[in-house]
Amino acid sequence: MKTTLQLPYQLKGFLELGDAVIITDSHHIILEVNDTYQTITGFERNKIIGLKAGFIKSNLTDQSTYTSMKTSLKQLIPWSGIFINRKKSGELWHSSITITPFQIGEDLFFIGIFRALEQLEEGLYLSENKKIEVQRELLKVLAISCEIRDPGTEEHLIRVQELTEVLIKAHNKKNNLQLEPNYINNVIHSSILHDIGKAGMPEGILYKPGALTSYERKIIEMHPLIGADILNKMSKEINYDFIKSMEVAENIILYHHEKWDGTGYPFNLKGEEIPLEARIVSIVDVFDALTTRRPYKDSWSKEKALTFIDENKGKHFDPSIAETFISLF
């Protein structure tokens, strides 16, 4: 679709900007681009004028971004967002764009100004969803690598993570806690790390088929402290914002064996002295341990495990969280 509309002189100044600039008519047909746009994209001006501005779409930009853009521009409101487009070479082009409507006489124009995110001082741009995905996968790799000696442990860790997600979201909704989404994601992701301290446990004790002696029990009860030490040593070497804050993970590792009545370990914390994230993971961890066969025990039925949790609310478990958990089944 070629256009016969000429570019008004009032808009030509935008083409001198250092960022990539594209100017379209009201139907988003390209009227002009500047040299920077040609340099970055590899598309020559005389071959793209008259094309729809979206010809460089990669189909990787979330559809909600386009919906938001169209809604704003229909109301003649400037819009800013992130696009993932393709250059002529096929290479992806991540860019922040601001599109501003301009009414000149009876004609409407749109000025798009692109800033290539790859060229920003911070270097790499990650969307919020991508940050969450990267965080989740990095913590998963860390957790599994710490427990590589037992192939069955990986399945336990993933089940704990999945059930933690269900429980924290249900408990937040049921009690109108208004927990921040970032906190909820942090708890879900960090739950997979709860037992990393067992990497420091002797295998003869960790997988002993019979009952532990009091001495062996004391060694096992050191694993939250060992886990926190592993986490702290690792986090000192990490500079990325999306995995730098480890407070929630540390709380889960240190306190998921504390009990509501103060008889847990390693610090004998009681009630709400125990961080919420640890109280949530505690129930999930015990439930999965009870319903899974281990070298030293047979698996329990779901019904028997839920009865145990019900009988121990107010003793081992936070009663409110325990009630939420039971209601899930």
Side-chain angles (χ1 to χ4, degrees), residues 71-322:
T71 300
S72 293
L73 297 184
K74 279 182 181 178
Q75 300 175 46
L76 302 185
I77 298 172
W79 176 87
S80 295
I82 303 296
F83 279 165
I84 306 174
N85 291 323
R86 286 198 186 276
K87 301 179 182 180
K88 185 178 181 180
S89 64
E91 179 186 355
L92 292 179
W93 176 31
H94 301 75
S95 57
S96 170
I97 180 172
T98 297
I99 303 176
T100 305
F102 269 83
Q103 188 82 42
I104 299 178
E106 296 181 356
D107 296 318
L108 176 64
F109 302 88
F110 294 105
I111 312 296
I113 300 176
F114 295 77
R115 173 69 58 85
L117 293 172
E118 290 88 346
Q119 296 175 354
L120 297 181
E121 289 184 6
E122 288 297 319
L124 177 65
Y125 168 76
L126 288 178
S127 68
E128 198 58 37
N129 286 342
K130 193 64 177 177
K131 284 183 182 180
I132 291 171
E133 180 185 333
V134 170
Q135 181 190 55
R136 187 178 190 121
E137 290 306 309
L138 282 175
L139 297 184
K140 178 181 176 182
V141 168
L142 171 64
I144 293 171
S145 65
C146 284
E147 307 216 33
I148 198 69
R149 295 173 299 176
D150 181 4
T153 301
E154 178 179 349
E155 296 174 4
H156 165 70
L157 297 178
I158 292 172
R159 286 194 301 268
V160 166
Q161 188 176 57
E162 290 173 347
L163 201 45
T164 294
E165 180 172 4
V166 174
L167 176 55
I168 192 171
K169 289 180 177 179
H171 193 63
N172 182 47
K173 182 177 181 180
K174 179 181 177 183
N175 296 278
N176 194 28
L177 299 180
Q178 299 183 351
L179 300 176
E180 291 290 330
N182 284 344
Y183 170 75
I184 291 174
N185 281 325
N186 222 341
V187 174
I188 294 166
H189 300 164
S190 299
S191 63
I192 202 168
L193 297 175
H194 66 280
D195 272 343
I196 63 171
K198 287 185 177 177
M201 298 289 101
E203 289 188 27
I205 296 176
L206 199 57
Y207 305 121
K208 183 178 177 179
L212 297 177
T213 66
S214 59
Y215 172 71
E216 290 169 336
R217 172 60 60 186
K218 287 293 182 185
I219 293 176
I220 285 290
E221 290 180 359
M222 291 292 292
H223 81 267
L225 299 172
I226 294 171
D229 186 55
I230 291 171
L231 184 78
N232 287 326
K233 285 177 178 175
M234 181 201 70
S235 62
K236 286 178 183 177
E237 304 301 321
I238 295 175
N239 296 317
Y240 299 107
D241 289 340
F242 50 88
I243 47 178
K244 188 164 60 177
S245 177
M246 291 291 191
E247 182 180 356
V248 168
E250 185 174 25
N251 286 343
I252 289 171
I253 293 167
L254 273 178
Y255 308 125
H256 72 283
H257 283 293
E258 300 289 354
K259 296 183 180 180
W260 186 256
D261 62 6
T263 62
Y265 65 87
F267 300 112
N268 303 120
L269 298 185
K270 186 176 183 179
E272 293 188 357
E273 291 175 351
I274 308 166
L276 174 63
E277 51 266 31
R279 284 180 267 146
I280 287 171
V281 173
S282 172
I283 292 178
V284 173
D285 184 36
V286 169
F287 177 79
D288 190 75
L290 291 176
T291 55
T292 303
R293 189 180 184 283
R294 298 285 175 89
Y296 48 84
K297 72 167 197 67
D298 288 327
S299 61
W300 289 18
S301 67
K302 279 185 181 179
E303 292 73 20
K304 185 178 179 181
L306 290 171
T307 298
F308 175 85
I309 290 172
D310 187 45
E311 290 173 348
N312 283 274
K313 62 186 182 187
K315 293 182 284 188
H316 189 148
F317 307 114
D318 179 325
S320 176
I321 299 174

